């Protein structure tokens, strides 16, 4: 059973930074692509960032490009999302996800089979 546990969310002001972490267990973390998604109240879950199995290829949503950085530490089975210059529109529950089979970067909800419970990020103006 794959388990993903996010941490690092919180309440910050616009312009601040946060670093989210996602601890993985239950299978070989380093073999599969990982991603971050977010969901704001009343909206569908949306793609934020993704990284391939070895961490050499990444993809970002246009709304976060240049502000967010996804990375992974395969030795410690941990995924990260560094979020800088946060904006009120970044407010959402953030989820990490693991692909069932893909090793390359994948960016849609349907590409991922395992999800964490989410961590709340709230950015005040």
């Amino acid at each position: 059973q794959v388990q993903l546990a996010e941490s690092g969310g919180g309440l910050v002001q616009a312009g601040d930074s946060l670093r989210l972490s996602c601890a993985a267990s239950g299978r070989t973390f380093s073999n599969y692509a990982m991603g971050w998604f977010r969901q704001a109240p009343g909206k569908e879950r949306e793609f934020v960032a993704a990284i391939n199995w070895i961490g050499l290829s990444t993809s970002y949503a246009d709304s976060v490009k240049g502000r967010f950085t996804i990375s992974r530490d395969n030795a410690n089975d941990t995924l990260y999302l560094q979020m800088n210059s946060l904006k009120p529109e970044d407010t959402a529950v953030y989820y990490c996800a693991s692909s069932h089979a893909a090793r390359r970067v994948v960016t849609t909800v349907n590409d991922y089979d395992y999800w964490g419970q989410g961590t709340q990020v709230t950015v005040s103006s």
Side-chain angles (χ1 to χ4, degrees), residues 14-15 35-36 42 44-45 49-50 53 56 59 77 87 94 99 106 116 118-119:
W36 287 98
E44 292 188 352
R45 192 167 297 189
W53 68 285
L56 295 181
S59 179
D77 294 345
K87 304 175 180 180
Y94 283 70
S99 170
V106 286
T119 185

Side-chain angles (χ1 to χ4, degrees), residues 5-39:
E6 303 95 336
S7 62
L11 172 62
V12 298
Q13 293 187 333
D16 286 349
S17 298
L18 276 177
R19 188 193 198 197
L20 305 184
S21 299
C22 173
S25 62
R27 68 170 183 164
T28 306
F29 172 82
S30 60
N31 283 354
Y32 303 101
M34 300 285 293
W36 287 98
F37 290 75
R38 66 187 181 186
Q39 188 165 17

